Amino acid sequence: MNMNNQVYSARPWLGFPTSKSLGSFGDANCMEQLLVHCANAIETNDATLAQQILWVLNNIAPPDGDSNQRLTCGFLRAIIARAANSGTCKLLTAMANVHTNLAMNNHKFSIIELASFVDLTPWHRFGFTAANAAILEAVEGYSVVHIVDLSSTHCMQIPTLIDAIATRFEVAPLVKLTVAGPTEDFPPMLDLSYEELGTKLVNFSRCRNVVMEFRVIPSSASDGFSSLIEQLRMQHLISAENGEALVINSHMMLHYIPDETLPVVQTANSPQISIETCSSNSFLRSMFLEALRSLDPTIMILVDEDADFTSNNLVHRLRSAYNYLWIPFDTVDTFLPRGSKQRQWYEADICWKIENVIAHEGPQRVERLEPKSKWVQRMRNASFRGISFSEEAITEVKSMLDEHAAGWGLKREEEDVVLTWKGHNVVFATAWLPI
């Protein structure tokens, strides 16, 4: 199908295609091509073509349609937001004629709501289950376990880990939990402070006969969590002398650290990441991993989404995002009814990601996912070696997946495990030891 011919053929009419002619645009491949052409038109300031394609997309991709239509509607919103961000008056006039609801209000979850929300799908539970199993094996025999939790889900993994510690060990270790309280707001968002969250976790642990100490360190991904690293360095010698287990648990957080496609502005008040120590080929992600390695952790867990959103080329990024983010839209039909509040929250979070990937550039574009292969190479370069998940861990993950729709699967790739949906990679989980 030649999309250029189909789109441009509308121009001689001095109008738009009729509704009868829209049927051929209805499949996902054609909608993706229309989005690509629209993005190109906006980038080249072709307001007339952009307006025509937007009209077509607005008619074939309603926000309450099937999964592909809702996905495309999310990208349509993002493209319009990008045009608005460009500040081009001519384009903004064209956009005003497209009746698309641009409102995306991200819900602030209560603890109970967020716990139920992450349990809806294996998207997060997969990483929680694999990580907890590996952590339990690594810390056996230690009387003190220091967990540094870098999580996008506000410690939702921790209660299940505390439960497992209480059940598995005859004498539970003292658990020190350090949380990197992000200074940015990324969905899902919580309606209480980290101090309040810490109090709830400490009280929960006490009910399970596990003593917990909680500490939050406000820290930003934009500078490679430099304040967190500085605090951990100050503790490191004392912790090492006391024989504590140090666990670094990263769950879908490290991709918010700027990558090589974003020029890094170094600051003098970031001692671990300063101009003096930063060579031309040193970047924040790699430097952060090297800093973690210098702490000699007992184990490090790295869980993230297996996609690549790092390209500086808008079309490449759009294609990559479109061919990954269809998955959450496809899966939601298996567990949430249309019109439910949870479904609105779920899809609003996805649309936030789409808008960030498409509508923003520079430091504002924080959704910079990298595929598993790139993270594996980064970890190896930072002097970590991968370790396999045990058969017990694999069994637990499979058991968890049995609670969800049949399309979810588990794939093993060397030492790593990967969550799949209908055979497509979704989330990877890796476990690492310092060399």
Side-chain angles (χ1 to χ4, degrees):
M1 178 182 297
N2 189 325
M3 298 303 301
N4 277 311
N5 291 340
Q6 290 204 30
V7 173
Y8 279 97
S9 66
R11 281 189 159 178
W13 303 9
L14 299 177
F16 300 112
T18 65
S19 58
K20 193 176 198 179
S21 68
L22 294 177
S24 61
F25 293 107
D27 68 86
N29 288 335
C30 291
M31 287 192 281
E32 180 187 355
Q33 289 301 316
L34 281 169
L35 289 169
V36 167
H37 285 299
C38 188
N40 279 327
I42 289 173
E43 293 299 280
T44 57
N45 291 328
D46 190 338
T48 302
L49 179 58
Q51 183 180 18
Q52 290 184 329
I53 302 174
L54 284 166
W55 186 90
V56 174
L57 286 167
N58 198 46
N59 279 275
I60 66 174
D64 59 350
D66 63 27
S67 60
N68 287 328
Q69 289 172 322
R70 300 196 310 278
L71 169 70
T72 302
C73 182
F75 276 85
L76 173 59
R77 288 190 182 106
I79 286 175
I80 294 174
R82 184 181 181 90
N85 290 342
S86 72
T88 305
C89 295
K90 186 178 180 182
L91 277 177
L92 290 176
T93 301
M95 303 308 142
N97 296 322
V98 181
H99 302 291
T100 302
N101 178 17
L102 292 177
M104 283 201 312
N105 297 318
N106 288 98
H107 178 69
K108 283 202 169 186
F109 291 89
S110 70
I111 286 287
I112 300 299
E113 286 175 340
L114 185 56
S116 299
F117 187 74
V118 299
D119 282 347
L120 287 171
T121 164
W123 204 280
H124 293 293
R125 291 189 73 199
F126 168 80
F128 292 174
T129 306
N132 284 351
I135 290 169
L136 288 170
E137 292 174 22
V139 304
E140 192 155 8
Y142 285 90
S143 59
V144 181
V145 176
H146 182 189
I147 301 168
V148 179
D149 193 45
L150 297 160
S151 172
S152 63
T153 59
H154 312 288
C155 301
M156 287 298 103
Q157 177 182 339
I158 301 303
T160 54
L161 179 58
I162 294 299
D163 257 336
I165 287 174
T167 303
R168 179 170 179 138
F169 301 128
E170 190 172 329
V171 178
L174 166 65
V175 175
K176 296 181 178 181
L177 179 62
T178 297
V179 175
T183 55
E184 309 93 342
D185 278 334
F186 306 137
M189 293 182 284
L190 202 57
D191 71 349
L192 77 168
S193 70
Y194 268 85
E195 288 74 15
E196 294 170 309
L197 174 63
T199 299
K200 290 181 181 295
L201 288 170
V202 168
N203 290 337
F204 172 80
S205 299
R206 185 182 299 120
C207 291
R208 302 296 286 121
N209 296 316
V210 176
V211 178
M212 174 187 284
E213 296 176 1
F214 179 89
R215 183 175 62 150
V216 59
I217 300 174
S219 198
S220 173
S222 64
D223 64 359
F225 297 107
S226 61
S227 59
L228 173 70
I229 291 295
E230 184 178 2
Q231 290 290 321
L232 292 176
R233 283 188 190 279
M234 291 170 61
Q235 285 189 11
H236 178 53
L237 291 177
I238 298 173
S239 300
E241 288 176 1
N242 292 339
E244 296 181 7
L246 175 60
V247 175
I248 308 294
N249 183 62
S250 173
H251 184 90
M252 301 188 187
M253 181 67 83
L254 296 196
H255 70 260
Y256 291 119
I257 297 175
D259 70 320
E260 288 86 338
T261 61
L262 176 66
V264 176
V265 177
Q266 302 297 334
T267 59
N269 60 357
S270 297
Q272 269 67 53
I273 308 172
S274 62
I275 296 175
E276 290 77 18
T277 60
C278 181
S279 65
S280 60
N281 62 351
S282 292
F283 298 97
L284 286 181
R285 292 189 181 186
S286 297
M287 295 172 72
F288 177 73
L289 295 178
E290 290 166 6
L292 291 181
R293 169 61 186 86
S294 71
L295 301 175
D296 200 28
T298 307
I299 190 170
M300 176 170 175
I301 306 294
L302 174 56
V303 175
D304 217 320
E305 296 162 313
D306 198 4
D308 189 350
F309 294 172
T310 59
S311 176
N312 279 331
N313 181 284
L314 174 63
V315 169
H316 290 171
R317 206 162 67 239
L318 187 153
R319 288 190 183 280
S320 181
Y322 194 88
N323 286 285
Y324 177 71
L325 293 174
W326 69 270
I327 297 172
F329 278 99
D330 194 46
T331 63
V332 74
D333 290 332
T334 68
F335 62 88
L336 286 177
R338 292 191 182 192
S340 72
K341 285 186 177 180
Q342 283 187 318
R343 180 153 168 167
Q344 292 172 12
W345 300 339
Y346 181 89
E347 295 194 350
D349 280 0
I350 307 167
C351 286
W352 183 93
K353 187 186 292 281
I354 292 171
E355 182 169 320
N356 189 265
V357 170
I358 301 302
H360 298 283
E361 296 293 350
Q364 288 72 41
R365 179 160 65 84
V366 297
E367 283 289 345
R368 295 171 178 266
L369 291 173
E370 288 185 314
K372 179 173 76 74
S373 57
K374 187 65 178 287
W375 280 113
V376 166
Q377 192 57 55
R378 286 188 188 280
M379 292 297 291
R380 290 173 177 166
N381 290 346
S383 297
F384 285 93
R385 65 177 179 88
I387 58 171
S388 298
F389 290 89
S390 68
E391 288 304 318
E392 181 181 352
I394 300 299
T395 300
E396 288 186 30
V397 172
K398 287 180 178 177
S399 177
M400 179 274 297
L401 291 179
D402 288 341
E403 301 173 18
H404 296 278
W408 294 105
L410 171 69
K411 183 165 63 175
R412 301 177 77 164
E413 294 182 348
E414 297 179 345
E415 296 94 355
D416 314 322
V417 289
V418 180
L419 175 69
T420 63
W421 172 254
K422 297 180 179 178
H424 298 269
N425 286 14
V426 181
V427 174
F428 66 85
T430 61
W432 302 87
L433 298 179
I435 296 176

